[in-house]
């Protein structure tokens, strides 16, 4: 019987949780607030392409959830599968497991203007904590993403007391690259029905790496393994039936291969457009659709993170994906910004100052018998007077 380590069990369980988050985010979150997309990062309408990182969002939110307590933690646990004290080990295990993928970098860092509890810092050994420095944040984002994302996708203001930033970055070559000479302009019909030519890469793929699930076709391309590194990333391209939206098509891409039906063909070829996508997703406006409300309110409880009263002010993710003949480049920066929460409610204190004439009554131990009574009319003299 093969033993399963606690870390393996945690990451296996979390894989399903991240998949569920991805499905809910695409179905409910993206529908609730369409992301800003395109090269210029402008607005988008329904049917516009986007790129996002469910794993990056999970890692960032789960790291913050490690400092959540009470009802705030319960709410985040429903979405993330973990919160409170058990979240930190899960975040560490998942980040380390993901980092075992060849050519994938995973990093989380915190910049803060408020005290961060020692127990919280020690529970996240792979996370670095620094004083707030917006310029340093931007420099770190640019360096860690290899320049794919040049700065934090959120302005840090004086009201930003803490920023937790997660970065995922991948730059890998295909195990079997496309031949540039086979790339040609072929017609592409966009979501609005417009038809036009786009540079399209063409190659043969092993029949075992293509299958269908219902009316959806899936092709898996593998990235090469780095020397001495872990297995390379796998990239699945998923083509739904005409008119099918991302909420129906994308979950097929992370479903088990066993759910698919092999193609009945002797040879499989694909025509894949060369592409570059960049999306900035204001997740903050989508959180309520995902069931997270307390964490962004003045009732938020992050007492496991800091002695200060805190609440989430913004969650923003910027993601980039480039597909070309040689390989794939991708990066995602997810930032959870923290603001000051409401101060603890004022205690109802009724103060009585005996600063004018007052009376004194000394009663017996068991009965309300006045043993002594007195009236202090002038300024009292001390007992030693």
């Amino acid at each position: 019987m093969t033993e399963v380590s606690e870390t393996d069990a945690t990451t296996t369980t979390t894989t399903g949780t991240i998949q569920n988050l991805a499905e809910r985010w695409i179905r409910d979150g993206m529908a609730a607030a369409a992301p800003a997309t395109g090269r210029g990062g402008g607005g988008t309408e329904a049917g516009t392409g986007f790129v996002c990182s469910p794993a990056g969002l999970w890692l960032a939110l789960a790291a913050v959830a490690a400092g959540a307590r009470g009802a705030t933690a319960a709410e985040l646990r429903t979405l993330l599968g973990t919160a409170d004290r058990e979240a930190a080990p899960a975040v560490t295990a998942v980040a380390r497991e993901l980092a075992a993928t060849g050519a994938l970098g995973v990093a989380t860092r915190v910049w803060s203007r408020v005290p961060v509890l020692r127990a919280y810092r020690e529970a996240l050994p792979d996370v670095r904590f620094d004083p707030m420095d917006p310029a340093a944040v931007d420099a770190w984002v640019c360096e860690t993403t290899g320049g794919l994302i040049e700065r934090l996708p959120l302005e840090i203001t004086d009201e930003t007391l803490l920023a937790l930033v997660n970065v995922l970055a991948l730059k890998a070559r295909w195990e079997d690259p496309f031949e540039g000479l086979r790339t040609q302009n072929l017609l592409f019909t966009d979501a609005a029905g417009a038809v036009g030519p786009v540079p399209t890469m063409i190659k043969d793929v092993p029949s075992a790496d293509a299958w269908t699930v219902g009316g959806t076709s899936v092709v898996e391309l593998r990235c090469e393994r780095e020397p001495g590194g872990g297995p390379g990333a796998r990239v699945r391209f998923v083509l739904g039936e005409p008119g099918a939206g991302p909420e129906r098509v994308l979950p097929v891409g992370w479903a088990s291969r066993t759910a698919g039906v092999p193609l009945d063909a002797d040879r499989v070829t694909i025509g894949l457009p060369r592409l570059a996508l960049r999306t900035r997703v204001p997740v903050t406006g989508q959180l309520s659709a995902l069931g997270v409300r307390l964490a962004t309110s003045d009732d938020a409880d992050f007492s496991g993170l800091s002695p200060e009263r805190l609440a989430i002010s913004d969650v923003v993710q910027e993601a980039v994906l480039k597909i070309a003949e040689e390989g794939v480049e991708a990066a995602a920066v997810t930032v959870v910004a923290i603001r000051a929460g409401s101060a603890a409610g004022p205690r109802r204190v009724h103060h009585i100052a005996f600063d004018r004439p007052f009376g004194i009554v000394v009663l017996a131990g068991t009965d309300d018998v006045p043993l002594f009574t007195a009236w202090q009319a002038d300024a009292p003299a001390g007992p030693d007077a």
Side-chain angles (χ1 to χ4, degrees), residues 114-373:
V114 295
V116 176
L117 295 175
R118 179 177 178 181
Y120 179 82
R121 298 195 308 268
E122 292 179 345
L124 293 166
D126 297 342
V127 177
R128 178 172 165 178
F129 294 82
D130 289 300
M132 183 65 76
D133 184 342
V137 179
D138 287 343
W140 182 78
V141 165
C142 185
E143 178 184 2
T144 311
T145 64
L148 282 176
I149 299 175
E150 296 182 351
R151 60 184 62 86
L152 194 71
L154 174 73
E155 181 183 358
I156 292 177
T157 68
D158 291 341
E159 285 70 43
T160 307
L161 299 185
L162 183 147
L164 185 145
V165 185
N166 172 266
V167 169
L168 297 181
L170 173 71
K171 185 174 183 179
R173 287 181 54 84
W174 299 123
E175 191 175 73
D176 181 18
F178 290 81
E179 296 178 14
L181 293 176
R182 296 183 67 180
T183 298
Q184 55 187 288
N185 285 333
L186 297 177
L187 296 180
F188 183 87
T189 304
D190 67 18
V195 180
V198 299
T200 303
M201 308 177 297
I202 299 172
K203 69 176 292 186
D204 292 16
V205 298
S207 58
D209 291 337
W211 59 91
T212 61
V213 179
T216 300
S217 299
V218 184
V219 175
E220 179 177 288
L221 300 183
R222 287 182 290 274
C223 296
E224 66 181 8
R225 179 189 295 263
E226 290 185 311
R234 294 169 297 126
V235 184
R236 289 181 179 176
F237 299 91
V238 192
L239 181 67
E241 296 176 308
E247 71 283 355
R248 285 179 51 193
V249 176
L250 286 175
V252 177
W254 57 73
S256 171
R257 290 179 68 133
T258 59
V261 176
L263 299 179
D264 184 15
D266 298 321
R267 181 185 177 211
V268 178
T269 64
I270 62 170
L272 180 68
R274 190 191 297 146
L275 62 87
L277 282 171
R278 180 183 297 269
T279 306
R280 184 174 297 176
V281 185
V283 186
T284 321
Q286 305 173 357
L287 289 176
S288 60
L290 298 175
V292 176
R293 298 176 180 85
L294 277 175
T296 58
S297 75
D298 284 341
D299 295 323
D301 182 356
F302 287 102
S303 55
L305 192 161
S306 172
E308 304 288 335
R309 293 280 299 186
L310 301 175
I312 293 175
S313 61
D314 294 282
V315 181
V316 180
Q317 183 181 96
E318 183 168 347
V320 177
L321 175 67
K322 297 181 179 182
I323 301 291
E325 286 85 353
E326 298 80 15
V328 56
E329 289 185 83
V333 174
T334 308
V335 54
V336 181
I338 304 291
R339 63 174 174 84
S342 65
R347 296 185 178 182
R348 301 183 63 180
V349 178
H350 189 119
H351 178 65
I352 300 176
F354 290 89
D355 55 3
R356 59 183 185 273
F358 62 92
I360 303 168
V361 175
V362 180
L363 300 174
T366 57
D367 298 310
D368 292 340
V369 176
L371 300 178
F372 304 93
T373 65

Side-chain angles (χ1 to χ4, degrees), residues 7 11 58-59 87-98 123-127:
T7 297
T11 53
W58 186 92
L59 284 168
V91 168
T92 300
V94 171
R96 290 177 180 178
E97 181 69 18
L98 293 177
L124 293 166
D126 297 342
V127 177

